[in-house]
Amino acid sequence: MTVIIKKAVLLSMWIAFEIFVNFFQAFLVLWFVKSRLHIARKNLALDAGCVLLVGLYTSLYLFYDVPVPDTFVFFIPFGYALAVADDKWYVSAFWASILALLFLSIISLSLHVFMTIPGGSYEKLMQMTWGRFAFVMVTNAILTIMVYAISKLKKDYSSPYRLTLVLFLAANVALFIVEEALYKLQLQIDSASLNTNAFFWAYIALFACTLLIILLYHNMSLSVERETRYRAEATVAAQSKQFQAEIEMLYNNLRIKAHDFKHHYEALKEMVRKGNSEEAKAYLASYQQSICKEEFILTGSTAVDSLLLAKVLTMKKMGITFRYSPYPLDQLPIEEPDFCTIIGNLLDNAIEGTLRVDATSTPLTIHLTFSRSWDMFYIYCANPCNAQTIKKSNGSWLSSKEADGLPGLHAVGIRSMQQIVQRAEGRCSFASDNGVFNVKIVLPCKTVETEEGQ
């Protein structure tokens, strides 16, 4: 009776160990996905659900002969990525296939090494033995090291072009088929006649190809990111030229006002000299009223003031009304040049979108709002838009210039804003609803208490 109890306890401990390992691998799966994709919707319930489903799915094989292959488990992290990440679906599919290849190649390579040890066999490695314990521990140690190493790669803000990704996915599928065929062939061959070197180097080659694909993807993503940055820099250069023209226009207006003020001063002086005080008062009141109609924007940041005033003058020339809800900018949430880049791109895009609207049916008005709530700074911008020129492809906004016969252009201004916001660990959203294009940008900023504590 005691022997039976001991065996039952040992079996229970072994099953608990196997289940723990399965859930540990589920945690590695979640870690890998979150390290490679851009998680836009953080949800602990979905995180826990992904780990739970992967752990339960793989643990079923301890108790049942499941007719579905265990490799189907990698559809779970793919579904999780679609639910929480803002990457294109084929980017999520790529990383799910890489995850499958990485796990399968490491497990198959480790299994082959342990099978070639004297006295080792597949059957023994599937039983409750110290050999299986060593196999499981070594395999998961290698998996942990690889997932950790890959997670340290810089997260890609861009992805290779669609055709390149299709080729990558095709290569992953080919490697998966080869790995499965090699694994089945290995199990069919007797251990005594197993060609150790051939299978070992075949598995090493599969593992190396998986790592090579990861590195190629990473390098091509960096190349696309550099291309996007160069386009953004070219756009910024053009915007700087435009801003310089706007500042020059602002300077000319000030020079004209200074010239006019000299005449107003001479007229008032002459009225006072002749004793026409009532006429002078009326003249002064009229002049004061005309001054009050002038645009003055004082936010606390000289650069932002100049930028906004220049944009206001541009809007006036184009017949656009500007509605501005200010907030003191004595303390900006990010560096001043980055903040001005965001505002400049916002207003340039808003002006461009507004000019595509029929002015006879829609008021040409741009709304810009700054606000702050505790440690978050908010920027809202809304403008009328022509819905037919607003295009989005696989989660990415396309330039309205497509409507002008320039297809394939990505919204470089939007991309530039997104990169700045991402670097600041903020978030931004774009939406087109009922003929209005809305942009919301949230930037973390230090509170007064935080600054004093530092």
Side-chain angles (χ1 to χ4, degrees):
M1 189 68 178
T2 306
V3 174
I4 295 175
I5 294 174
K6 286 183 177 180
K7 287 184 177 180
V9 171
L10 182 62
L11 179 61
S12 300
M13 292 176 62
W14 185 264
I15 292 175
F17 167 72
E18 293 278 6
I19 293 175
F20 171 79
V21 169
N22 288 337
F23 276 88
F24 175 74
Q25 289 183 352
F27 168 74
L28 291 181
V29 166
L30 180 67
W31 184 10
F32 182 91
V33 172
K34 296 186 78 169
S35 71
R36 302 321 311 150
L37 297 174
H38 303 91
I39 308 302
R41 295 164 288 280
K42 295 181 180 179
N43 190 314
L44 290 177
L46 288 176
D47 293 354
C50 179
V51 172
L52 186 63
L53 286 175
V54 173
L56 289 176
Y57 187 93
T58 51
S59 297
L60 280 176
Y61 291 87
L62 296 174
F63 308 101
Y64 304 102
D65 186 15
V66 182
V68 182
D70 57 353
T71 51
F72 276 46
V73 71
F74 294 103
F75 282 102
I76 297 174
F78 174 57
Y80 167 80
L82 293 179
V84 302
D86 62 355
D87 300 87
K88 301 178 182 66
W89 70 267
Y90 43 82
V91 174
S92 298
F94 169 79
W95 284 114
S97 63
I98 284 292
L99 180 66
L101 280 175
L102 196 65
F103 269 65
L104 294 177
S105 60
I106 290 175
I107 291 172
S108 298
L109 178 60
S110 180
L111 179 64
H112 172 75
V113 171
F114 275 86
M115 283 176 61
T116 55
I117 294 175
S121 66
Y122 178 80
E123 291 74 18
K124 289 182 179 180
L125 290 175
M126 295 300 108
Q127 298 173 3
M128 287 192 310
T129 61
W130 285 107
R132 174 165 179 79
F133 179 80
F135 161 68
V136 170
M137 296 301 291
V138 169
T139 302
N140 282 277
I142 297 173
L143 283 172
T144 303
I145 292 171
M146 289 310 306
V147 170
Y148 175 79
I150 293 173
S151 71
K152 290 301 178 182
L153 282 175
K154 177 188 174 185
K155 188 177 291 189
D156 303 305
Y157 285 113
S158 303
S159 61
Y161 296 116
R162 192 179 305 176
L163 177 60
T164 305
L165 266 173
V166 169
L167 295 176
F168 275 140
L169 281 170
N172 289 349
V173 171
L175 287 176
F176 178 79
I177 294 173
V178 171
E179 193 280 333
E180 286 294 298
L182 192 63
Y183 178 72
K184 290 179 180 178
L185 179 63
Q186 180 185 9
L187 296 183
Q188 292 172 0
I189 298 177
D190 183 63
S191 298
S193 59
L194 196 66
N195 189 328
T196 304
N197 290 331
F199 278 93
F200 175 79
W201 289 112
Y203 281 124
I204 288 291
L206 284 172
F207 181 62
C209 286
T210 303
L211 295 182
L212 181 61
I213 289 176
I214 294 174
L215 293 176
L216 281 174
Y217 177 95
H218 181 63
N219 287 334
M220 295 189 76
S221 296
L222 291 178
S223 177
V224 173
E225 188 174 339
R226 281 194 296 269
E227 182 180 349
T228 303
R229 188 171 67 249
Y230 293 153
R231 288 184 181 181
E233 289 174 353
T235 302
V236 169
Q239 290 173 344
S240 298
K241 187 175 181 180
Q242 178 187 349
F243 182 58
Q244 184 179 358
E246 291 167 343
I247 292 295
E248 186 176 348
M249 180 177 62
L250 176 61
Y251 170 75
N252 289 333
N253 287 340
L254 290 174
R255 189 178 61 179
I256 292 171
K257 286 181 176 59
H259 181 268
D260 291 344
F261 178 76
K262 184 168 61 175
H263 292 293
H264 291 307
Y265 174 75
E266 292 294 337
L268 280 170
K269 187 171 69 171
E270 186 63 20
M271 289 178 191
V272 171
R273 186 183 69 79
K274 292 181 177 181
N276 297 331
S277 59
E278 293 300 323
E279 186 179 352
K281 287 179 182 178
Y283 187 93
L284 185 60
S286 175
Y287 180 61
Q288 186 176 9
Q289 188 177 5
S290 67
I291 290 178
C292 290
K293 291 181 180 179
E294 297 293 335
E295 295 288 348
F296 288 99
I297 298 177
L298 299 174
T299 63
S301 169
T302 305
V304 177
D305 293 345
S306 302
L307 175 64
L308 290 178
L309 191 53
K311 297 302 179 186
V312 168
L313 294 175
T314 300
M315 292 182 209
K316 277 190 171 183
K317 285 176 57 180
M318 298 176 175
I320 299 173
T321 303
F322 184 57
R323 296 282 182 263
Y324 171 58
S325 299
Y327 183 88
L329 299 181
D330 302 301
Q331 178 193 7
L332 292 174
I334 56 177
E335 294 296 327
E336 195 171 58
D338 287 340
F339 191 85
C340 287
T341 299
I342 290 177
I343 303 304
N345 280 318
L346 269 180
L347 294 179
D348 284 338
N349 289 343
I351 292 170
E352 180 186 342
T354 302
L355 292 177
R356 295 178 182 276
V357 175
D358 183 6
T360 59
S361 59
T362 305
L364 304 185
T365 305
I366 295 175
H367 296 266
L368 178 66
T369 301
F370 297 151
S371 65
R372 178 170 172 171
S373 176
W374 192 238
D375 59 347
M376 289 294 172
F377 190 90
Y378 298 87
I379 303 172
Y380 300 94
C381 187
N383 63 273
C385 65
N386 184 346
Q388 295 180 349
T389 65
I390 303 295
K391 295 189 178 183
K392 194 176 183 182
S393 175
N394 295 314
S396 295
W397 294 92
L398 299 179
S399 173
S400 299
K401 296 179 181 66
E402 283 199 335
D404 297 333
L406 298 173
L409 291 175
H410 291 279
V412 177
I414 289 179
R415 184 60 181 156
S416 177
M417 286 188 287
Q418 287 175 326
Q419 288 180 339
I420 293 173
V421 173
Q422 286 173 348
R423 286 199 303 267
E425 298 182 350
R427 62 183 185 274
C428 54
S429 61
F430 307 88
S432 175
D433 186 32
N434 295 325
V436 178
F437 192 76
N438 294 286
V439 181
K440 176 183 176 182
I441 296 176
V442 184
L443 297 167
C445 55
K446 296 178 182 178
T447 62
V448 175
E449 289 78 3
T450 304
E451 292 174 346
E452 290 176 350
Q454 293 177 346

